[in-house]
Amino acid sequence: MDRSLIPTLLRASAVMCLACFSAPFVHAQGCTNASYYGASVFELQGTVPAILSSVPYVAIGREVADGNGHVTGTYTDSTNGTLGGGSYTGTYTIAADCSGVETISGTATNGTQFNWSSTFQISAGGRTGLSAKNTTNVVLAGQSFRAAAQDPARCGNASLAGGYDFLTSGAIQGVPVTKVGRLTLDGDGSVSFKATVNLQQTGKSVRTGSGSYTVNADCTGTMTVNDGFADTFYFAVEHGGGLLLLEPDNAENTFGVAQPQVDSTVLGQLAFNHGWYSALYFNNESPGDVSFTVNFIGDDGNPLNVPALNGSSTTVRIPAGGSAKVEVPDDINADLRQGYAAFTLPPGVTGYGVFRQTVAGRVDQEAVCLFAPSTATVSTMLFDDTNGLITALAIVNPSAIAASVQMTAYDNAGAELGSASIPLAAYSKTEAALHTISGLSSVTGHAGKVVFTVSSGSVAVLGLRFDGFAFTSIPTEQ
């Protein structure tokens, strides 16, 4: 055998340990094959043997389990700085104690065929999976996380926006290196980069640069940054917006994570005057005082003036362990004003919104609504338009670029009822009863779900369910 092929063959076989990851949904006790299904992203790292010694190995990828003992997956890997990857299919068996065995076969990008068997353990109630593979001269370990989207076509560049703090470590041509810093993504494919790099031989240096990124429909992607070097990151997006990072270029074998710096949030409907009142409640569980700004934005995307608060924004200050309320009162004689509220919550701060409608001659009606992330590209809402019930929507594009919101309604059996497309300018919003939207009139008399997606910009949805004069909010899932 040509000994130069050994690292490549080892990489093709060693990566098969990664197939043991993925447990996006699972019961805490009494696991079966049905406990393991859906899409997850995974990381794998360790060492594999080379001709005369062991070399570092890292991989990231995406795996989908069908809940009936079958998996498919794709991966990108690096062996001592040499880029590789591939795809695979396989079978698995889950025991009652949530341990499992998986056997897969696949093809590496260089055409090499491989087979692998691994053991794994589902953990944290299905939020993660843990695995280790230890054979002679091969030491690999890793974990998986629920993917950012279970549907294979729900991610795009808009899935990533804002600041991400990152940390990677590994080696460049065998020399240990770490990088810690910030990636700033604009939601439209551009990124800026700043990091402190510590290379064992030369010490610390600060690098800055800019570049571009692409998020694939399956929530994996690539990012290229020119920071004095041509750095390329391969990444996978986990549920919650975090990234798994792999950097294999320039004989570099580094791996790490990135986490969103802040959680930009919206209350998707703000209504006041002519019988309507709104309020926002906040709780500070952090050990220090916090201060943040709540911005009020009209349906047209422009600042919305709230006379009672003397402008289109207000500053919220909460002491450690304290709480606060922002009220937007009703002027019964003034015209109805509608929009939404946008803010960035400091760590440890949570809350919710309240709507109240006052109509003469009946009891006031009130609903509590949860805040929603402002960078989501997909949202799902259950609805029930049977027995005279009516579902209403507030749909927001909180991003700085225009969005076309695609809406598809399904009945309880999963059959499609209709679809619609709603264009929204940057920062704008619209509201309507679900059945009045062109293409969705057939939801009347049915219950089911509506899926909202955007390929650019972002979307936040707030649902309201009306039963005559009474109403309540409907939560959505991102």
Side-chain angles (χ1 to χ4, degrees):
M1 176 186 290
D2 183 353
R3 295 179 67 86
S4 66
L5 294 177
I6 293 177
T8 299
L9 294 175
L10 285 170
R11 178 173 68 248
S13 60
V15 76
M16 291 310 96
C17 178
L18 60 81
C20 62
F21 309 135
S22 296
F25 304 101
V26 65
H27 302 294
Q29 300 290 332
C31 289
T32 67
N33 283 358
S35 303
Y36 176 22
Y37 69 98
S40 63
V41 293
F42 58 79
E43 62 181 15
L44 178 68
Q45 60 187 102
T47 60
V48 295
I51 295 176
L52 298 176
S53 63
S54 294
V55 295
Y57 176 90
V58 293
I60 61 173
R62 184 177 190 271
E63 180 171 292
V64 179
D66 69 353
N68 196 33
H70 302 90
V71 295
T72 60
T74 58
Y75 65 91
T76 300
D77 67 356
S78 174
T79 302
N80 205 28
T82 300
L83 181 67
S87 60
Y88 59 88
T89 62
T91 60
Y92 67 90
T93 302
I94 306 292
D97 65 356
C98 299
S99 63
V101 176
E102 188 168 271
T103 302
I104 62 173
S105 60
T107 305
T109 51
N110 65 0
T112 302
Q113 304 293 309
F114 54 78
N115 297 281
W116 198 263
S117 180
S118 297
T119 59
F120 62 94
Q121 187 71 44
I122 295 170
S123 64
R127 293 187 299 275
T128 63
L130 303 174
S131 175
K133 181 66 178 178
N134 297 286
T135 61
T136 303
N137 296 322
V138 177
V139 180
L140 298 172
Q143 58 186 324
S144 69
F145 305 88
R146 184 181 181 185
Q150 295 300 297
D151 189 292
R154 286 190 178 179
C155 283
N157 286 354
S159 303
L160 303 182
Y164 290 75
D165 297 320
F166 77 93
L167 172 68
T168 61
S169 62
I172 301 177
Q173 295 181 333
V175 179
V177 63
T178 62
K179 298 180 183 179
V180 60
R182 180 184 302 173
L183 302 165
T184 304
L185 300 97
D186 70 350
D188 198 30
S190 296
V191 58
S192 61
F193 172 94
K194 180 179 181 180
T196 299
V197 180
N198 189 3
L199 187 64
Q200 187 180 56
Q201 290 182 339
T202 60
K204 183 176 68 175
S205 63
V206 176
R207 296 182 189 173
T208 60
S210 60
S212 61
Y213 70 93
T214 300
V215 183
N216 301 321
D218 66 357
C219 303
T220 63
T222 56
M223 184 184 309
T224 302
V225 177
N226 184 0
D227 59 345
F229 300 88
D231 289 333
T232 299
F233 295 92
Y234 292 78
F235 61 82
V237 187
E238 61 178 283
H239 185 71
L243 310 179
L244 305 181
L245 299 173
L246 169 68
E247 189 179 5
D249 49 2
N250 299 321
E252 192 166 351
N253 209 75
T254 61
F255 187 85
V257 295
Q259 294 295 333
Q261 191 175 47
V262 295
D263 295 324
S264 297
T265 307
V266 298
L267 176 64
Q269 171 73 342
L270 187 82
F272 60 99
N273 295 342
H274 204 64
W276 285 93
Y277 157 98
S278 299
L280 297 87
Y281 290 82
F282 301 100
N283 179 46
N284 177 20
E285 291 292 339
S286 74
D289 298 352
V290 298
S291 176
F292 58 96
T293 300
V294 176
N295 295 298
F296 305 108
I297 302 166
D299 285 3
D300 60 1
N302 294 315
L304 175 64
N305 182 51
V306 179
L309 297 175
N310 300 313
S312 59
S313 65
T314 188
T315 300
V316 179
R317 295 179 175 87
I318 315 176
S323 57
K325 176 174 65 173
V326 175
E327 290 187 287
V328 184
D330 172 26
D331 182 346
I332 193 68
N333 297 314
D335 292 337
L336 174 66
R337 304 295 304 276
Q338 295 189 83
Y340 64 98
F343 40 90
T344 297
L345 294 177
V349 178
T350 58
Y352 60 88
V354 169
F355 305 115
R356 181 189 303 149
Q357 185 184 33
T358 300
V359 176
R362 67 173 174 86
V363 177
D364 290 356
Q365 300 297 311
E366 194 171 88
V368 173
C369 301
L370 301 178
F371 301 147
S374 66
T375 57
T377 58
V378 60
S379 185
T380 300
M381 185 194 74
L382 300 179
F383 76 93
D384 187 350
D385 272 32
T386 64
N387 300 317
L389 296 172
I390 293 177
T391 303
L393 306 170
I395 308 172
V396 184
N397 171 17
S399 73
I401 58 177
S404 178
V405 182
Q406 306 301 312
M407 303 171 55
T408 306
Y410 304 88
D411 66 17
N412 283 335
E416 183 174 328
L417 293 171
S419 62
S421 178
I422 297 180
L424 288 175
Y427 303 119
S428 68
K429 165 181 161 283
T430 189
E431 54 275 324
L434 180 62
H435 73 276
T436 65
I437 298 173
S438 178
L440 296 176
S441 60
S442 57
V443 300
T444 300
H446 290 275
K449 68 179 180 181
V450 184
V451 179
F452 306 80
T453 60
V454 294
S455 57
S456 63
S458 55
V459 62
V461 179
L462 187 152
L464 292 174
R465 163 177 157 148
F466 288 86
D467 181 8
F469 290 116
F471 66 91
T472 189
S473 62
I474 306 173
T476 58
E477 179 184 354
Q478 280 69 41

